[in-house]
Amino acid sequence: MSKQNIYKDTLNLPKTKFPMKANLAQREPNMLKQWEDSGIYRKLRDQAAGRPKFILHDGPPYANGDIHIGHAVNKILKDIIIKSQTLGGYDAPYIPGWDCHGLPIELNVEKKLGKAGVKVDEKTFRNGCREYAARQVAGQKADFKRLGVMADWDNPYLTMNYDFEANIIRTLGQIIDKGHLHKGSKPVHWCTDCGSALAEAEVEYEDKTSPAVDVRFKAVDRQAILDIFSAANGSDKPVNAVIWTTTPWTLPANQAVALHPDFDYVLVETDQELLILAEELYPSALQRYGVEQSQILGRCKGSQLENQLLQHPFYNRQVPVILGDHVTVDSGTGAVHTAPGHGQEDYVVGMKYDLEVDNPVAANGCFVTGTPLFEGQHVFKANPLVLEVLQQKGALLHHQDLLHSYPHCWRHKTPIIFRATPQWFISMDQNGLRQLAIDAAEHTTWLPDWGQARIEGMLENRPDWCISRQRTWGVPIALFVHNETQALHPDTQDLIEKVAQKVEQAGIDAWFELQPAELLGDDAQNYSKVTDTLDVWFDSGVTHACVIKQRDELQFPADLYLEGSDQHRGWFQSSLLSSVAVNDMAPYKEVLTHGFVVDAQGKKMSKSRGNVVAPQKIMKTLGADILRLWVSSTDYTGEVSVSDEILKRTADAYRRIRNTARFMLANMDGFEPQQNSLEVADMLPLDRWIVVKAEFLQQEIIGAYEQYDFHQVYQKVHNFCAMDLGAFYLDVIKDRQYTTQVDSIARRSAQTALYHIAEAMTRWIAPILSFTAEELWGFIPGKRDESVFFDSWYAFPPEIQDEMDDAYWQKVLAVRVACSKEMEKLRVDKTIGSSLDAEVDLYCDDELRALLEKLQDELRFVLITSYARLHKLSDRPADAVDADDVNGLAIQVKASEHNKCVRCWHHREDVGSDSEHPELCGRCIANVSGQGEVRHYV
RNA sequence: GGUUGGGUAGCUUAACUGGUAGAGCAGCGGGUUUAUAACCCGUAACGACAGAUAAUCGGCUGAUGCGAGUUCGAGUCUCGCCCCAACUACCA
């Protein structure tokens, strides 16, 4: 041992300060501080000035709550793209944003301040919201930064910034100018106790007992119905369609009876009448009515009855039969009472048939003045009265109470109703927006490509976009409408600009506090301010106008939007519609989506399931780079699984990459690229080969980045580290690195190769393992910029035509694998330990022998054996073993009988040939006290 | 209920227009101590079965969520089913 140490000092063992243990959780925050202190994002912009632009436009997360792993995936993917595009030579600015208005924030502020307009005035409430949102943004921003996301964090866009708010209003003006605005009414959830609309989130479902009634609607043209059913009937019994409802109070607003176009309906004769019922339901219905005797007179499809008129049960009104796919045969009669003012579905189908959206119910839940029979009655109290009236009119066929799930107000716990209220819409059809949007979607690249079918399906079927909300914390629909006619003020465009200027100065309060006379003068008495606010999807949908077009460094349209697949319904669509409405084109050229994060079983994450993985926890334990590497390792176009095992595997892969890099650095100890690197032509063929291999790989990696196929990058880099480098190249060059002389060509050649690979590989991983790459960057020898991100993909030295090309080395590798298998047999026998304890004799056919002869003495180094001798295949002894996967090769392995050189561990004949160094082989003697061995072959 | 996708080894992923299911990691078994909180070599594909052999191996069967179909041949095409996810609707 002591003697060995003498020679150990003559070896060039690996040496580096680059730590083996990553300690990411501790190290990353320091790196972040360094980046922040040096203003890396701004410097990056300066560096990239003048390059072609790549604009990835950030979709704003909602400013509420801590970021979850889905946010992390989204931001990391964006960051990988931004960084890879930057390394690819683009100027890729990244402006992060937040969505700041809206209900969830209101609800949280309400908990602290109380209800706006009740416990606290609206201005104070809005201020509370603004402060709350700002705090949320700050919290989320800190986490996003911690992920290593490089962005203009000092100048993000917030939808609540005054200029942003002003530009929302201006964009609304443009949409009006283009003729897409439309005022209508729409049923909304309404709490009669609150006297206001409820958002979906404020609705709870609870059981309620309602009167379920079967009601006759008498056919106006009896004969026509008989004809349709092909039913001859001599009697003069009336023909009645029967509807079933649990909300009798909505009958005053009835405008139609809906049937399913494809269902079979029967005309059933009973003692007193002919009933129209769905065939599937008529037995149960008749049973309910207590009818014992009946006969079917005829049947027809629902579609045949379309537009037949029916008599309203108690009003002097005739209503049509309409068709709708929402009609089911689960319960009732197969005929649905339709009141467009009181039901979502009724409203939608009513729009198709141009039915009146009649709403006779006031805000307090009572029938308005002038409602025949029920004026002033509260709707739920009116139910028995309606029944009474139906009874009187002979329209009530059956009544029984029914317990069912029914929407309730979450505050009052009282049943709510659907009530049509005036709302503002962006019309899909009045000025051709739907078709324009579909066309624009066709001109957009959707990744994955099924995104196009998805969004087109949505565009084709979606109703008009209701953009108005009756809320406090939102951008106002800053319009003046005529008190009588409800028409927009003729100077609307001018007024909008004036309002926008005020909002630019003072935020949305400027509108809510505005005295109309200030802008309208005497005309103010004829006009009212609209007090509705905009849907927050409008806010975020118009970032193309409020951000992309406002900031000089950005370009419209954006190259890419990237969000979760839920945003086909959300932001992708709101952005598309609003952009098409004002620009006649999509705001993006390409839309990329990622799936949701699920657990190892593919189940979605939820608190109740207890399978939630918090990004904060991963960053605190494993580090952001592990989280980033995990994101990169997934095919994110589908659902993405995460679990402890998956993260552990990711950490394993990380260590492989890190240690490979570390080993390369350690073997470049004392290497100065300017002085010590060799020309390609002077390098050893093996070293040239690995560099070419790396360059080839780089092309694939760049291609994968361009396709946003990051898991390909991950696989390729990892494979390269594990296989090409770890299992072969780095193992083989150890001998050369350690035992040859410091400044020998043999060693400098390998170091030159390591240098090129380290330069390249650091860049490959930089978009993903940003912290680690930056750390590595400081350890690679040679002069360099402050940050890896200021650089571009590595420019390899020019290739030269090489006799020993990749195909050549693949054959050598196959021989190596065959030898390893044979050596393993001796190792199992404990005949040898290290492969250097072995000598191999290779019996090759002529072709293979010629091939391997080119390696000369290097063959033993490639095989990491003490001797490697070539022979003719015809000379093979009986105990040589045919190689499985190499033709024309038989191998004989035996333990070497020669002494082991204590310095290089090879067993050589010439060990001890020099009495001064009795334990060294000839090669080592030359390296220790002579000129040094020559390892240049070919 | 509807729309759009998805389900390949313990994990992450490959497989061109149908043509031998390919890698890496993990696992298991060894080795090295000159990458050592590291590295190398070998092995290996649900579960199960029977035979031969015991150094070497050959065969059957099964195998891309399940089951059919088309085909000489299916991870890939068709149909049905199960499960998962996003969106959407409904409960009159």
Side-chain angles (χ1 to χ4, degrees):
Chain A
M1 198 65 187
S2 58
K3 277 185 184 173
Q4 215 169 333
N5 279 340
I6 296 169
Y7 294 112
K8 198 164 183 176
D9 293 340
T10 69
L11 294 169
N12 312 301
L13 295 181
K15 188 175 156 198
T16 180
K17 288 189 173 130
F18 184 83
M20 175 174 289
K21 193 176 176 192
N23 244 326
L24 292 173
Q26 282 77 45
R27 217 185 299 278
E28 285 170 348
N30 298 332
M31 184 84 66
L32 280 169
K33 185 161 187 311
Q34 215 174 299
W35 279 336
E36 193 148 0
D37 290 349
S38 81
I40 192 168
Y41 180 80
R42 281 265 72 84
K43 284 187 188 166
L44 194 51
R45 292 281 68 75
D46 294 344
Q47 291 264 341
R51 297 194 212 158
K53 297 236 179 219
F54 181 87
I55 307 301
L56 193 178
H57 178 48
D58 189 36
Y62 192 71
N64 190 29
D66 289 336
I67 68 163
H68 55 68
I69 195 140
H71 288 115
V73 168
N74 177 261
K75 278 290 195 286
I76 288 171
L77 287 173
K78 285 171 178 166
D79 191 49
I80 292 173
I81 291 172
I82 289 286
K83 285 169 175 164
S84 58
Q85 291 290 339
T86 302
L87 282 159
Y90 285 90
D91 178 14
Y94 180 47
I95 314 292
W98 274 274
D99 195 4
C100 301
H101 296 118
L103 184 69
I105 289 174
E106 279 192 38
L107 295 177
N108 277 312
V109 172
E110 226 173 65
K111 282 183 205 156
K112 278 171 83 178
L113 300 184
K115 215 167 164 351
V118 179
K119 278 202 166 171
V120 61
D121 69 79
E122 297 201 340
K123 183 172 183 177
T124 308
F125 187 84
R126 275 192 286 268
N127 275 335
C129 290
R130 198 173 279 283
E131 283 167 18
Y132 177 86
R135 278 200 305 279
Q136 297 297 313
V137 167
Q140 293 191 357
K141 189 196 281 187
D143 279 350
F144 286 148
K145 282 186 182 177
R146 179 65 188 81
L147 290 170
V149 175
M150 215 167 270
D152 196 353
W153 295 114
D154 295 333
N155 304 288
Y157 73 84
L158 308 185
T159 60
M160 68 176 180
N161 285 346
Y162 291 174
D163 58 339
F164 196 114
E165 290 177 336
N167 283 325
I168 290 173
I169 292 170
R170 288 192 179 100
T171 308
L172 176 65
Q174 289 172 20
I175 291 172
I176 293 170
D177 192 40
K178 290 274 194 166
H180 297 298
L181 192 76
H182 154 76
K183 190 176 185 190
S185 61
K186 183 190 165 182
V188 295
H189 290 290
W190 192 272
C191 173
T192 58
D193 290 336
C194 301
S196 74
L198 297 184
E200 199 61 48
E202 299 171 298
V203 174
E204 292 175 349
Y205 285 80
E206 282 168 37
D207 282 346
K208 172 183 185 294
T209 302
S210 301
V213 294
D214 292 74
V215 180
R216 295 185 178 94
F217 275 63
K218 187 178 168 188
V220 173
D221 187 342
R222 179 177 182 276
Q223 191 55 47
I225 303 279
L226 289 175
D227 289 349
I228 290 167
F229 278 100
S230 312
N233 183 266
S235 78
D236 56 357
K237 292 176 191 169
V239 172
N240 292 315
V242 188
I243 63 92
W244 182 77
T245 181
T246 57
T247 52
W249 63 267
T250 62
L251 282 168
N254 175 280
Q255 300 294 342
V257 170
L259 306 182
H260 196 289
D262 303 328
F263 289 171
D264 287 313
Y265 288 84
V266 290
L267 189 65
V268 185
E269 180 169 17
T270 69
D271 292 351
Q272 332 160 12
E273 60 192 325
L274 309 180
L275 297 174
I276 301 172
L277 294 163
E279 179 160 24
E280 213 167 307
L281 289 168
Y282 92 90
S284 62
L286 293 184
Q287 196 180 6
R288 190 157 72 231
Y289 311 147
V291 172
E292 281 158 11
Q293 294 277 323
S294 68
Q295 83 179 97
I296 293 176
L297 299 181
R299 54 171 58 75
C300 72
K301 292 285 181 194
S303 55
Q304 292 174 264
L305 292 163
E306 187 177 19
N307 295 324
Q308 286 299 317
L309 291 177
L310 303 170
Q311 177 58 48
H312 189 280
F314 47 78
Y315 285 159
N316 184 20
R317 179 194 298 164
Q318 294 181 348
V319 299
V321 171
I322 61 174
L323 305 175
D325 292 334
H326 64 290
V327 178
T328 66
V329 286
D330 295 342
S331 58
T333 60
V336 176
H337 146 61
T338 301
H342 293 308
Q344 204 78 249
E345 194 89 90
D346 293 4
Y347 171 80
V348 172
V349 70
M351 294 302 285
K352 268 192 212 152
Y353 282 89
D354 223 7
L355 301 180
E356 198 185 329
V357 183
D358 185 20
N359 170 39
V361 179
N364 61 2
C366 297
F367 283 104
V368 297
T369 315
T371 309
L373 305 171
F374 310 109
E375 178 177 315
Q377 289 289 335
H378 189 277
V379 289
F380 291 120
K381 301 229 173 76
N383 268 339
L385 293 178
V386 174
L387 262 57
E388 216 170 280
V389 171
L390 288 173
Q391 191 75 57
Q392 280 167 21
K393 299 277 180 181
L396 185 63
L397 200 48
H398 182 73
H399 163 222
Q400 76 187 99
D401 284 342
L402 178 77
L403 186 69
H404 63 157
S405 169
Y406 191 87
H408 287 67
C409 171
W410 73 343
R411 283 195 197 84
H412 294 95
K413 310 293 178 195
T414 52
I416 60 177
I417 62 172
F418 268 104
R419 177 170 175 268
T421 55
Q423 302 289 347
W424 296 90
F425 296 85
I426 289 178
S427 169
M428 292 304 294
D429 299 302
Q430 80 182 16
N431 217 353
L433 185 58
R434 191 187 307 275
Q435 196 51 52
L436 283 171
I438 291 170
D439 291 347
E442 268 170 25
H443 287 96
T444 300
T445 304
W446 300 88
L447 298 172
D449 56 7
W450 48 259
Q452 179 162 351
R454 189 158 201 233
I455 198 144
E456 281 189 11
M458 289 171 175
L459 288 168
E460 275 160 18
N461 296 317
R462 69 159 295 152
D464 287 348
W465 179 8
C466 180
I467 56 167
S468 52
R469 296 289 185 274
Q470 292 69 50
R471 309 295 324 183
T472 312
W473 177 232
V475 177
I477 297 181
L479 300 173
F480 294 96
V481 291
H482 195 273
N483 290 337
E484 302 295 318
T485 66
Q486 299 290 303
L488 293 184
H489 193 285
D491 295 335
T492 287
Q493 289 301 323
D494 278 351
L495 291 167
I496 278 183
E497 180 51 33
K498 283 178 181 150
V499 171
Q501 284 170 18
K502 286 179 180 296
V503 169
E504 218 151 44
Q505 297 305 312
I508 52 177
D509 284 322
W511 169 259
F512 296 113
E513 289 167 4
L514 179 73
Q515 296 300 319
E518 226 182 291
L519 293 180
L520 300 181
D522 291 345
D523 221 7
Q525 57 185 327
N526 297 319
Y527 285 88
S528 306
K529 285 196 303 183
V530 171
T531 56
D532 291 354
T533 56
L534 282 163
D535 175 14
V536 289
W537 284 110
F538 191 91
D539 291 23
S540 59
V542 297
T543 54
H544 55 81
C546 304
V547 180
I548 301 179
K549 286 197 175 177
Q550 299 301 319
R551 303 222 184 185
D552 291 340
E553 71 237 78
L554 303 180
Q555 278 175 1
F556 181 90
D559 291 289
L560 183 66
Y561 278 32
L562 163 55
E563 305 297 334
S565 59
D566 56 331
Q567 300 302 334
H568 283 117
R569 183 41 127 190
W571 191 55
F572 297 148
Q573 198 175 158
S574 62
S575 297
L576 180 69
L577 289 175
S578 61
S579 178
V580 165
V582 299
N583 302 309
D584 296 317
M585 64 187 288
Y588 36 64
K589 294 178 188 163
E590 211 170 42
V591 175
L592 177 59
T593 55
H594 58 79
F596 278 60
V597 181
V598 295
D599 69 14
Q601 278 74 46
K603 300 278 178 69
K604 67 178 157 199
M605 305 211 149
S606 69
K607 278 181 193 159
S608 57
R609 269 203 184 86
N611 59 358
V612 176
V613 177
Q616 293 84 356
K617 190 182 160 199
I618 300 173
M619 290 191 284
K620 257 186 252 164
T621 52
L622 299 169
D625 263 1
I626 302 297
L627 185 60
R628 298 177 63 98
L629 189 61
W630 163 70
V631 170
S632 82
S633 75
T634 63
D635 175 5
Y636 58 82
T637 58
E639 281 103 53
V640 177
S641 286
V642 71
S643 68
D644 286 344
E645 182 187 359
I646 292 168
L647 288 169
K648 186 177 179 302
R649 292 287 93 82
T650 309
D652 289 346
Y654 172 83
R655 295 208 326 268
R656 165 57 91 169
I657 294 168
R658 184 183 178 89
N659 276 310
T660 303
R662 178 174 184 269
F663 184 68
M664 289 195 289
L665 291 178
N667 277 292
M668 280 189 273
D669 183 43
F671 178 79
E672 275 306 319
Q674 286 85 349
Q675 285 116 54
N676 306 127
S677 60
L678 300 187
E679 294 296 320
V680 176
D682 298 332
M683 292 169 68
L684 273 61
L686 179 68
D687 301 330
R688 264 202 307 264
W689 165 77
I690 193 70
V691 172
V692 169
K693 194 98 177 148
E695 186 175 9
F696 185 73
L697 181 66
Q698 173 161 289
Q699 292 312 314
E700 294 184 340
I701 286 171
I702 291 172
Y705 271 124
E706 283 168 353
Q707 304 291 311
Y708 313 129
D709 263 343
F710 312 128
H711 66 276
Q712 292 296 333
V713 176
Y714 166 87
Q715 300 261 341
K716 284 176 197 300
V717 170
H718 186 260
N719 242 320
F720 186 63
C721 288
M723 302 308 293
D724 294 313
L725 293 179
F728 180 57
Y729 180 73
L730 295 179
D731 209 17
V732 167
I733 64 165
K734 277 178 198 168
D735 178 86
R736 191 145 43 97
Q737 286 302 296
Y738 303 160
T739 67
T740 65
Q741 294 191 340
V742 170
D743 202 32
S744 63
I745 287 183
R747 185 159 176 273
R748 292 307 189 199
S749 172
Q751 287 185 318
T752 303
L754 293 176
Y755 170 72
H756 291 310
I757 294 167
E759 286 274 19
M761 198 164 94
T762 304
R763 291 163 172 84
W764 301 343
I765 64 172
I768 296 166
L769 297 171
S770 299
F771 293 100
T772 303
E774 195 78 317
E775 189 187 352
L776 276 168
W777 191 247
F779 283 88
I780 305 173
K783 281 185 119 169
R784 56 196 60 254
D785 270 328
E786 167 186 345
S787 166
V788 63
F789 298 107
F790 295 167
D791 229 289
S792 305
W793 301 125
Y794 186 61
F796 282 91
E799 269 179 60
I800 59 170
Q801 208 47 34
D802 211 321
E803 193 188 353
M804 293 182 175
D805 58 5
D806 190 49
Y808 175 85
W809 286 105
Q810 292 311 323
K811 286 174 194 150
V812 174
L813 270 166
V815 171
R816 192 176 123 99
V817 167
C819 291
S820 292
K821 278 186 185 167
E822 284 309 306
M823 284 190 273
E824 183 68 15
K825 289 171 190 166
L826 297 196
R827 212 178 269 124
V828 170
D829 287 352
K830 305 282 180 196
T831 310
I832 60 169
S834 154
S835 63
L836 282 175
D837 298 338
E839 299 183 5
V840 294
D841 289 280
L842 302 173
Y843 298 88
C844 318
D845 63 17
D846 294 346
E847 191 189 336
L848 183 62
R849 207 171 69 250
L851 192 101
L852 294 178
E853 270 169 356
K854 290 182 188 162
L855 287 173
Q856 301 171 30
D857 195 39
E858 196 70 9
L859 181 58
R860 67 170 164 125
F861 293 107
V862 170
L863 299 179
I864 315 185
T865 56
S866 284
Y867 282 88
R869 290 175 287 258
L870 293 173
H871 311 275
K872 286 187 180 173
L873 184 57
S874 51
D875 294 342
R876 62 169 294 180
D879 59 349
V881 177
D882 286 308
D884 282 340
D885 300 317
V886 182
N887 287 327
L889 174 66
I891 302 167
Q892 192 179 40
V893 182
K894 57 174 186 273
S896 179
E897 287 163 4
H898 299 295
N899 286 330
K900 178 178 175 180
C901 169
V902 296
R903 184 168 177 273
C904 72
W905 295 350
H906 284 242
H907 295 253
R908 301 294 290 182
E909 229 170 344
D910 55 5
V911 170
S913 55
D914 184 334
S915 55
E916 284 199 25
H917 301 287
E919 292 179 299
L920 294 192
C921 66
R923 190 168 71 92
C924 282
I925 293 163
N927 284 328
V928 169
S929 58
Q931 293 295 308
E933 64 174 312
V934 175
R935 285 284 285 273
H936 205 185
Y937 49 96
V938 173

